Amino acid sequence: MDIKALEKIALSVRALSIDAIQKANSGHPGLPLGTAELGVMLYGELLRHDPADPAWADRDRFILSAGHGSMLLYSLLHLAGYRDISLEDIKNFRQIGSSAAGHPEYGMAAGIEATSGPLGQGIAMAVGFAAAETMLAARFNTAAHKIVDHYTYVLAGDGCIMEGISAEASSFAGHHGLGKLIMYYDSNKITIDGSTDLAFTEDVAKRYEAYGWQALHGSMYDFEEIARLTAQAKAETGKPSIIILTSIIGKGAPNKQNTADAHGAPLGADEVAATRANLGIPGDFYIAPEAQVYFAAKQSEWKKSREDWQITFNAWSKEHPEKRAEWDQFHSGKAAQAAMPVFNTGDSIATRAAGNKALCAIAAANANLVGGSADLKGPNAVGLPADAGTWTRENRAGRYIYFGIREFAMAAICNGISLHGGFRTLCSTFMVFSDYLRPAMRMSALMRQPVIYVFTHDSIFVGEDGPTHQPIEHLAGLRIMPNLRVLRPADAEETVEAWTMAMEHTTGPVALALSRQNLNVFPKADPDWKHTIRTGAYIARQVEGKPDAVIIATGSEVGTALEAAALADKKISVVSMISKELFESQPAEIRETIVPPDTRVIVCEAGVRSGWERWAKPEDILSIDRFGESGPPAKVAEHLGMTVNALLLTISREKCTIKDVLEQKDL
Amino acid sequence: MDIKALEKIALSVRALSIDAIQKANSGHPGLPLGTAELGVMLYGELLRHDPADPAWADRDRFILSAGHGSMLLYSLLHLAGYRDISLEDIKNFRQIGSSAAGHPEYGMAAGIEATSGPLGQGIAMAVGFAAAETMLAARFNTAAHKIVDHYTYVLAGDGCIMEGISAEASSFAGHHGLGKLIMYYDSNKITIDGSTDLAFTEDVAKRYEAYGWQALHGSMYDFEEIARLTAQAKAETGKPSIIILTSIIGKGAPNKQNTADAHGAPLGADEVAATRANLGIPGDFYIAPEAQVYFAAKQSEWKKSREDWQITFNAWSKEHPEKRAEWDQFHSGKAAQAAMPVFNTGDSIATRAAGNKALCAIAAANANLVGGSADLKGPNAVGLPADAGTWTRENRAGRYIYFGIREFAMAAICNGISLHGGFRTLCSTFMVFSDYLRPAMRMSALMRQPVIYVFTHDSIFVGEDGPTHQPIEHLAGLRIMPNLRVLRPADAEETVEAWTMAMEHTTGPVALALSRQNLNVFPKADPDWKHTIRTGAYIARQVEGKPDAVIIATGSEVGTALEAAALADKKISVVSMISKELFESQPAEIRETIVPPDTRVIVCEAGVRSGWERWAKPEDILSIDRFGESGPPAKVAEHLGMTVNALLLTISREKCTIKDVLEQKDL
């Protein structure tokens, strides 16, 4: 190691960071100043990567969990030669159009492995990356050719360590012995509020040892120590490692370092000048010549490393064409055709159970589908075919993942697996607990990762477990999230289509809302419904001539609507709307073939009304705008007015009895 | 201790639990069977309580964090003599109308201290209870009279310990040295999926020691050991204690105990019979005579204990009438009048900053208002007056709470403080991170606890931090939660009213949505606006005669609407809607005085469209239905079409340019 050169690179990181933040008049200098040495070690010495080919499948991954310190990452990507972060981008830090956004945004520049900023999630995504590496290695490596063999590095700050998700993900990683996961903890003892002594005095090393990690300690400012500790982390192959590096936030800014002032605001012109004087930075956006020389020399070394891998990969491909074909399939992002189950009119089966049959068919055809549940494998009905096996220390090729009772980490780990490449992931819990993982689902949506969320027990028909377990506002809550496709099938046949639609959808996450209770498979009026449903809705019941009203229903309420329509003394057609927002995104000419204009629309859904007023008048919406009740499902439905009778009264506009029952949101 | 009697009570708990669950054909026998001995110790020997006066202010608190084991609690409450849980209720377990709901529901029966079921939250609420005890004790105890001196007990299962919120809350409790918090951990090594070895092998004791807790070990089935360990926990006054009790899930059910089958389904008639035979239970809903004798004898002991306290309390009241008056005020649930700040037209101030002035005024008048932020005291602007002090080990009378970067635990701890009684609580974070605490906010709403949530940085006007930090779907997401009042004031004057409305609202939580950016205080057309705003909306700008259109706007977009209305070539009035759902709950005759019928309505809000279609046609809603961008706020607003110009184009129905910019939810 050329310590002198490394020092100059660290100086350049500091120079670029303070200037970019000052120019943007916005940003977080504390972390890039405080951790420049580690960053330099990573991008200069530790990472096995090649900036000329940022998509190299076997590269080491680095995730900046403390995403507010984005200028650390941008400076290093630029200095190391990643083309997507130009000096121009850095000069336009935090401006629209710059790949150097406020926080690292996946997709804005090759080299950014994950979007980060929401604290703690980077740790859990890194756990996902490390898990994916073991899965891929177990499937594809051979005795002669190790084509998958890389490390996952993550840099976490005090905030990441405090967030509960770090506990969930780290306990999971320790249990699973992810030996190639290395976390650096930037321990600077300062948060936005001031000293960590205000709120955070736990023994982090001991806590991580309790999770089954190796815990190491060192200084952020000793290149050789960082190298030695990282080697020690690599040597421990049975445990993940946390390397606690004592650091100084804002290091180099003479008046602000080691204070909360350095964290999240530009240093200001005076302090920038003082920092330059202190560190010997000669000018604007300074890049030391030694840094350029160093990284120029590195390129050929990195190229060689990648080419060596390519030789191995080619030899492996030649020797194992069937493995290579599978590898290509894994990395194609496309789902293979599956022999989907068939259901028939009159079958009575919960959509979660039908969903399991569909899932198993898809899993049989797609060996790269992995995932599981947060301790609800049976209730969520997400067991995979027996030969899929379980992912454990002993069986890294296993596909079912026992996430434990850790919903939030589960979703973020799935994001990490998905981002790593090679796999489709699913995760599941009761729909009411989608709230527990919502912040990670938002990241799936923002990063457009096609994680499949299986949410069962999707309404008050959960019954006895009561209001803590009955979703009310959750369907509406899922639908409002941009880039998230929500599918609520109405019977087993629709569930099969929903799973197919989910697998076809690769530009964002999908949430499947499935019933706990049995639902009857009903005959569909639209003979072409398997095609039409891809618009988000189709006509389930048709009447002769113009209907007096159209009922739009979703999921289990389609059955309610069909019953009510059959009993009503009016001509009522029924539309099953498997995806409200997908249907709403259709052009009017398509929408109007399904929901005719100038026709009274009635809506029936066992959830809040909000969002449905586009389609019907408030008095024509049968909804539930209060928390649920504990009782047998049918009794709860009666108590809350979500029954065939209630719908008949809505149709006939005899509101009195129902509206008495339907308490409005009480404010 | 009469061990024989305690054994008979445990037998009765098991008998009642299996029968109630069997009769309901629904429920979780595993925990009540597995932890009956601990339950008996708590309700018979350890808790200082009086079933005849369940509201006794200085009672010990017990929270069943593993709420699915509700029959444990109901059996014990009934046996101990709590009148709200009758044998009839137990026989109607999980039926509508029974106070013995599926999970313990706060408010259904005195003696249930908190709603539980969503795992891990009970631990955090217990931390809140224990914190509140220290706060009340510090304020009111005197050298001569210790009127506040009670313990908080919590029973947690594997799920609670695995959930990230337990990490957040426990680290917080350890930091703050909550010595009167005692957690029993029912360590039965079984979860729904099977053995904890599948996913959970961390060293829980070591982890808790790392948090600064005392960790103790024992058997669930040794009364004397439970007593000894609890005494040891009480003896450690500087640390919370975790007592890890090795147990057998479903203990007593000969064929199901120690398996996941015992967890969450009725035993079935055969296994109930086998359990009865195994344990010697003679009949249905069996209560051993020894249990009745034991608890009958206990009543006078408990009564005496409470009366002794009452004597102390009376003496203290006489000696310290001013303290007693404050105590009564603290427990009245009513806010005192405050000298609220005054703002004037033309002032330009962020509503978060105006909110701080209002908060400080309210805090000065209400000494029982406590709370803080998840490490964003400055950015959220929730600092309290200097003399309020900080709640620390050394200053238990302090009122500002540094929660650390632990949003979820923060909210659940506030629920605990609020449930304890005596305090109003507030907590705060960036609005986008309301997702992190959403599951606890739902519990505030379900339990109707008047926790005040301060969410600042309430839109894309956050700017540079980008999409991870810009709320888009969050306002809609808050509004759909039953029992949650959402207030988004439009300027400093409205913010003062919003805080007043928040303090007046005592039947549920309140979410305040406040701006990061400065907003101009505008003149209000409605001279009586401070009264009218309590309907949820008022007319901010009036025109002569019938308006061509009414713009409904909220928060910062009211300023946008006022500007656009002034520039438009049509007659445009503007309604500021501080609370959409409050306004929608008004009778039509009130709503129509503010939003006249048969008038074109335009909506302008920097968030998703969903929910606004009740008021306007899709093309008349200026919304943001995609994730944000990193850039200076004005540039982001321009990029996303949330500007005066965009609104003018909406008004004139020239959609082309705007709709090009406004990408729809891309599916």
Side-chain angles (χ1 to χ4, degrees):
Chain A
M1 290 195 306
D2 178 349
I3 300 288
K4 282 272 174 291
L6 297 177
E7 282 171 353
K8 288 293 186 180
I9 306 170
L11 181 73
S12 306
V13 167
R14 291 194 167 94
L16 292 174
S17 298
I18 61 175
D19 283 358
I21 292 165
Q22 190 61 30
K23 181 153 185 271
N25 195 26
S26 173
H28 300 74
L31 186 132
L33 288 175
T35 65
E37 279 74 7
L38 171 65
V40 167
M41 279 300 292
L42 281 166
Y43 279 82
E45 300 285 326
L46 299 172
L47 284 178
R48 186 161 153 272
H49 66 142
D50 183 5
D53 184 7
W56 176 17
D58 200 36
R59 70 192 182 278
D60 287 341
R61 269 50 167 198
F62 170 67
I63 293 101
L64 180 66
S65 185
H68 52 273
S70 55
M71 269 312 303
L72 175 77
L73 182 59
Y74 302 145
S75 302
L76 289 161
L77 289 175
H78 175 66
L79 292 171
Y82 284 82
R83 274 181 297 259
D84 283 0
I85 302 281
S86 66
L87 192 58
E88 209 47 36
D89 288 318
I90 288 178
K91 288 183 178 172
N92 285 307
F93 177 55
R94 297 191 152 220
Q95 306 305 305
I96 290 173
S98 169
S99 54
H103 290 77
E105 301 286 341
Y106 177 76
M108 296 286 274
I112 299 173
E113 302 282 5
T115 297
S116 58
L119 292 176
Q121 293 198 47
I123 296 176
M125 288 191 282
V127 171
F129 275 95
E133 196 266 352
T134 72
M135 294 174 185
L136 220 48
R139 278 167 179 78
F140 293 109
N141 286 352
T142 61
H145 299 113
K146 219 167 172 181
I147 60 160
V148 181
D149 183 18
H150 55 266
Y151 286 86
T152 303
Y153 299 94
V154 56
L155 172 53
D158 290 308
C160 297
I161 301 289
M162 272 192 260
E163 291 284 1
I165 188 173
S166 72
E168 295 179 5
S170 301
S171 178
F172 177 91
H175 172 79
H176 284 292
L178 293 173
K180 289 162 94 174
L181 172 64
I182 299 173
M183 173 153 74
Y184 302 97
Y185 165 32
D186 171 28
S187 179
N188 60 31
K189 303 270 179 202
I190 297 288
T191 69
I192 293 176
D193 276 352
S195 165
T196 51
D197 288 346
L198 289 169
F200 182 57
T201 48
E202 66 179 43
D203 181 339
V204 172
K206 187 170 178 176
R207 176 183 141 196
Y208 270 81
E209 283 169 0
Y211 295 143
W213 289 48
Q214 174 180 226
L216 304 171
H217 292 84
S219 161
M220 182 65 81
Y221 308 118
D222 183 334
F223 293 110
E224 277 162 355
E225 190 167 50
I226 291 174
R228 185 176 56 72
L229 293 171
T230 305
Q232 215 174 323
K234 289 185 174 183
E236 171 55 79
T237 58
K239 293 177 176 182
S241 293
I242 180 171
I243 301 177
I244 302 173
L245 295 174
T246 306
S247 69
I248 297 167
I249 192 170
K251 186 170 196 296
N255 306 301
K256 293 199 170 178
Q257 67 184 7
N258 209 18
T259 74
D261 285 347
H263 168 81
L267 293 180
D270 290 352
E271 186 70 359
V272 166
T275 306
R276 285 184 182 170
N278 183 38
L279 299 178
I281 298 170
D284 281 6
F285 293 97
Y286 175 69
I287 296 175
E290 295 88 339
Q292 291 175 309
V293 170
Y294 174 93
F295 281 115
K298 277 282 170 184
Q299 303 301 327
S300 55
E301 183 186 314
W302 287 333
K303 188 175 177 211
K304 170 134 197 348
S305 150
R306 179 175 54 84
E307 284 175 350
D308 287 349
W309 176 85
Q310 191 66 48
I311 290 164
T312 308
F313 186 76
N314 292 348
W316 168 87
S317 300
K318 204 165 166 185
E319 232 168 275
H320 306 283
E322 76 303 337
K323 276 188 187 283
R324 172 60 192 268
E326 190 171 34
W327 171 278
D328 288 343
Q329 170 63 24
F330 271 44
H331 289 83
S332 70
K334 288 202 181 121
Q337 284 282 9
M340 299 300 282
V342 174
F343 295 95
N344 299 298
T345 298
D347 288 352
S348 178
I349 180 170
T351 54
R352 61 174 168 150
N356 187 258
K357 291 193 194 298
L359 164 62
C360 284
I362 287 167
N366 292 275
N368 69 333
L369 183 69
V370 300
S373 164
D375 198 50
L376 293 168
K377 183 182 181 180
N380 292 147
V382 287
L384 299 178
D387 63 2
T390 298
W391 182 68
T392 62
R393 277 173 191 257
E394 295 74 31
N395 180 20
R396 296 298 198 192
R399 293 163 57 191
Y400 188 84
I401 303 172
Y402 286 97
F403 287 105
I405 304 166
R406 307 178 179 113
E407 296 82 7
F408 189 7
M410 169 176 72
I413 289 168
C414 283
N415 282 338
I417 296 172
S418 181
L419 287 164
H420 179 279
F423 296 97
R424 278 299 286 274
T425 59
L426 84 148
C427 62
S428 55
T429 186
F430 291 148
M431 184 186 271
V432 82
F433 298 129
S434 62
D435 281 349
Y436 270 62
L437 56 73
R438 189 170 174 89
M441 189 163 53
R442 190 175 204 257
M443 293 287 270
S444 309
L446 190 51
M447 298 188 290
R448 294 188 171 278
Q449 293 304 297
V451 175
I452 298 176
Y453 290 88
V454 178
F455 296 133
T456 68
H457 297 59
D458 69 347
S459 72
I460 52 125
F461 289 98
V462 166
E464 289 87 350
D465 277 339
T468 55
H469 284 58
Q470 294 169 355
I472 293 290
E473 71 277 25
H474 297 81
L475 275 170
L478 295 170
R479 290 181 183 132
I480 57 181
M481 188 177 283
N483 303 348
L484 174 65
R485 180 170 286 181
V486 184
L487 300 171
R488 188 176 189 227
D491 69 3
E493 285 192 316
E494 284 195 20
T495 304
V496 171
E497 295 313 306
W499 259 107
T500 306
M501 289 164 76
M503 289 300 289
E504 286 165 2
H505 186 68
T506 54
T507 56
V510 175
L512 292 168
L514 302 176
S515 75
R516 176 192 186 212
Q517 74 275 24
N518 284 351
L519 301 176
N520 293 326
V521 175
F522 54 85
K524 279 84 179 160
D526 179 352
D528 202 22
W529 71 273
K530 288 188 187 183
H531 172 73
T532 319
I533 198 172
R534 281 163 169 75
T535 66
Y538 69 93
I539 298 171
R541 180 181 202 268
Q542 190 61 287
V543 291
E544 297 269 324
K546 186 176 155 59
D548 295 320
V550 177
I551 302 177
I552 296 176
T554 79
S556 49
E557 285 69 70
V558 175
T560 310
L562 291 169
E563 271 194 70
L567 292 167
D569 53 5
K570 294 195 170 73
K571 288 200 298 182
I572 309 281
S573 67
V574 174
V575 167
S576 175
M577 195 172 282
I578 193 167
S579 179
K580 177 174 180 285
E581 70 283 10
L582 175 58
F583 184 70
E584 290 176 348
S585 74
Q586 302 298 326
E589 54 270 27
I590 288 182
R591 289 198 313 263
E592 291 177 2
T593 62
I594 296 165
V595 181
D598 308 319
T599 307
R600 180 183 169 209
V601 173
I602 295 165
V603 170
C604 179
E605 185 174 78
V608 295
R609 172 201 294 169
S610 182
W612 284 113
E613 287 110 336
R614 170 164 176 176
W615 293 102
K617 295 181 182 164
E619 62 270 25
D620 281 339
I621 302 174
L622 191 66
S623 58
I624 303 175
D625 294 275
R626 46 156 292 183
F627 290 118
E629 288 278 341
S630 170
K635 297 278 185 194
V636 173
E638 209 172 302
H639 189 73
L640 301 175
M642 186 50 58
T643 59
V644 172
N645 275 338
L647 185 52
L648 283 167
L649 289 168
T650 303
I651 293 169
S652 63
R653 292 202 157 134
E654 288 170 26
K655 285 173 295 182
C656 48
T657 36
I658 292 314
K659 292 298 167 186
D660 287 350
V661 172
L662 271 179
E663 293 168 33
Q664 296 307 305
K665 180 163 176 169
D666 175 5
L667 288 148
Chain B
M1 291 197 306
D2 179 348
I3 301 288
K4 282 271 176 291
L6 296 177
E7 283 171 351
K8 288 293 187 182
I9 306 170
L11 182 73
S12 307
V13 168
R14 291 194 167 92
L16 292 174
S17 297
I18 62 175
D19 283 358
I21 292 165
Q22 189 61 31
K23 180 154 186 270
N25 195 26
S26 173
H28 299 73
L31 186 133
L33 289 174
T35 65
E37 280 74 7
L38 171 65
V40 167
M41 278 300 291
L42 280 166
Y43 279 81
E45 299 287 326
L46 298 172
L47 284 178
R48 184 161 156 272
H49 65 141
D50 183 5
D53 184 7
W56 175 18
D58 200 36
R59 70 192 181 278
D60 286 342
R61 270 47 169 202
F62 169 67
I63 293 102
L64 180 66
S65 186
H68 52 271
S70 56
M71 269 312 301
L72 175 78
L73 183 60
Y74 301 145
S75 302
L76 290 161
L77 289 175
H78 175 66
L79 293 171
Y82 284 82
R83 274 181 297 258
D84 283 359
I85 301 281
S86 66
L87 192 57
E88 208 50 34
D89 289 317
I90 288 177
K91 288 181 177 173
N92 285 307
F93 176 55
R94 296 190 152 221
Q95 307 305 307
I96 290 172
S98 169
S99 54
H103 290 76
E105 301 285 343
Y106 177 76
M108 297 286 275
I112 299 173
E113 303 283 4
T115 298
S116 58
L119 293 177
Q121 293 198 49
I123 295 176
M125 287 191 283
V127 171
F129 275 95
E133 196 266 353
T134 72
M135 294 174 186
L136 221 47
R139 278 167 179 76
F140 293 109
N141 287 352
T142 60
H145 299 113
K146 218 168 172 182
I147 60 162
V148 181
D149 183 18
H150 55 266
Y151 287 86
T152 302
Y153 299 93
V154 56
L155 172 53
D158 290 308
C160 297
I161 301 288
M162 271 192 261
E163 291 283 1
I165 188 174
S166 72
E168 294 179 6
S170 301
S171 178
F172 177 91
H175 172 79
H176 285 292
L178 293 173
K180 289 161 94 173
L181 172 64
I182 299 172
M183 173 153 74
Y184 302 97
Y185 165 32
D186 171 29
S187 178
N188 60 33
K189 303 268 179 202
I190 297 287
T191 69
I192 293 176
D193 276 352
S195 165
T196 51
D197 288 346
L198 289 169
F200 181 57
T201 48
E202 66 179 42
D203 181 339
V204 173
K206 186 169 179 178
R207 176 183 140 197
Y208 270 80
E209 284 169 359
Y211 296 144
W213 289 50
Q214 173 179 228
L216 305 171
H217 292 85
S219 160
M220 183 66 82
Y221 309 117
D222 183 334
F223 293 110
E224 278 162 356
E225 189 166 49
I226 290 173
R228 185 176 56 71
L229 293 171
T230 305
Q232 214 173 323
K234 289 184 173 185
E236 171 55 78
T237 58
K239 293 177 176 181
S241 293
I242 180 170
I243 301 176
I244 301 172
L245 295 174
T246 306
S247 69
I248 297 165
I249 192 169
K251 186 170 198 294
N255 306 301
K256 294 200 170 179
Q257 66 185 9
N258 209 18
T259 74
D261 284 348
H263 168 80
L267 293 180
D270 291 352
E271 185 71 358
V272 166
T275 306
R276 285 183 182 169
N278 183 38
L279 298 178
I281 298 171
D284 282 5
F285 292 95
Y286 175 69
I287 296 175
E290 295 88 338
Q292 291 174 310
V293 171
Y294 175 92
F295 281 115
K298 277 282 170 185
Q299 302 301 327
S300 55
E301 182 186 314
W302 287 332
K303 188 175 177 215
K304 171 135 195 348
S305 149
R306 179 175 54 84
E307 285 175 348
D308 287 349
W309 176 84
Q310 192 65 48
I311 290 163
T312 308
F313 186 76
N314 293 349
W316 168 86
S317 300
K318 206 166 166 186
E319 232 167 277
H320 305 282
E322 77 302 336
K323 276 189 186 283
R324 173 59 192 271
E326 189 170 32
W327 171 278
D328 289 344
Q329 170 62 23
F330 270 45
H331 289 84
S332 71
K334 289 205 182 115
Q337 283 282 8
M340 299 300 280
V342 174
F343 295 95
N344 298 296
T345 299
D347 288 351
S348 178
I349 180 170
T351 54
R352 61 174 167 150
N356 187 256
K357 290 191 194 298
L359 165 61
C360 284
I362 287 166
N366 291 275
N368 69 333
L369 183 68
V370 299
S373 165
D375 198 51
L376 294 168
K377 183 182 180 180
N380 292 147
V382 288
L384 299 178
D387 64 2
T390 298
W391 182 68
T392 63
R393 277 172 190 257
E394 294 75 31
N395 180 21
R396 296 298 198 193
R399 293 163 58 191
Y400 188 85
I401 304 173
Y402 286 97
F403 287 105
I405 303 166
R406 307 179 179 113
E407 296 82 6
F408 189 8
M410 168 176 72
I413 289 168
C414 283
N415 282 338
I417 296 172
S418 182
L419 287 163
H420 179 280
F423 296 98
R424 279 299 285 276
T425 59
L426 84 147
C427 62
S428 55
T429 186
F430 291 147
M431 185 186 271
V432 82
F433 298 128
S434 63
D435 281 349
Y436 270 63
L437 55 72
R438 190 171 173 89
M441 187 163 55
R442 190 176 203 257
M443 293 286 269
S444 308
L446 190 51
M447 298 188 290
R448 293 188 173 278
Q449 293 303 298
V451 176
I452 298 176
Y453 291 88
V454 178
F455 296 133
T456 68
H457 298 59
D458 70 346
S459 74
I460 51 126
F461 288 98
V462 165
E464 289 87 350
D465 276 340
T468 55
H469 284 58
Q470 293 170 356
I472 293 289
E473 69 279 24
H474 298 81
L475 275 169
L478 295 170
R479 289 183 184 129
I480 57 181
M481 187 176 283
N483 302 350
L484 173 65
R485 180 170 287 182
V486 184
L487 301 171
R488 188 177 190 227
D491 69 2
E493 285 192 317
E494 283 194 19
T495 304
V496 171
E497 294 314 305
W499 260 107
T500 306
M501 289 163 77
M503 290 299 290
E504 286 166 4
H505 187 69
T506 55
T507 56
V510 175
L512 292 168
L514 302 176
S515 75
R516 176 192 185 213
Q517 75 276 24
N518 284 351
L519 300 176
N520 293 324
V521 175
F522 54 84
K524 280 84 181 163
D526 179 352
D528 202 21
W529 72 272
K530 288 188 185 181
H531 173 73
T532 319
I533 198 171
R534 282 165 168 74
T535 66
Y538 70 94
I539 299 172
R541 181 181 202 267
Q542 190 61 287
V543 292
E544 297 270 323
K546 186 176 155 61
D548 296 319
V550 177
I551 302 176
I552 297 175
T554 79
S556 49
E557 285 69 70
V558 175
T560 309
L562 291 170
E563 271 193 70
L567 292 167
D569 54 4
K570 293 193 169 78
K571 288 200 298 179
I572 310 282
S573 66
V574 174
V575 167
S576 175
M577 194 172 282
I578 193 167
S579 178
K580 177 173 180 283
E581 69 283 10
L582 176 58
F583 184 70
E584 290 177 347
S585 74
Q586 302 298 326
E589 54 270 28
I590 287 181
R591 290 198 311 263
E592 292 178 0
T593 61
I594 295 164
V595 181
D598 307 319
T599 307
R600 179 182 169 207
V601 173
I602 296 165
V603 169
C604 179
E605 186 174 77
V608 295
R609 172 200 294 167
S610 182
W612 285 113
E613 286 110 335
R614 170 164 177 177
W615 294 101
K617 294 181 182 164
E619 63 270 25
D620 281 339
I621 302 174
L622 190 66
S623 59
I624 302 175
D625 293 276
R626 46 155 292 183
F627 289 118
E629 289 279 342
S630 170
K635 297 278 184 193
V636 173
E638 209 172 301
H639 188 74
L640 301 174
M642 186 49 58
T643 59
V644 171
N645 274 338
L647 186 52
L648 282 168
L649 289 167
T650 304
I651 293 169
S652 63
R653 290 199 160 139
E654 288 169 27
K655 284 174 295 180
C656 47
T657 38
I658 293 315
K659 292 298 165 187
D660 288 349
V661 171
L662 272 177
E663 293 169 32
Q664 297 307 306
K665 181 161 176 171
D666 175 8
L667 288 149

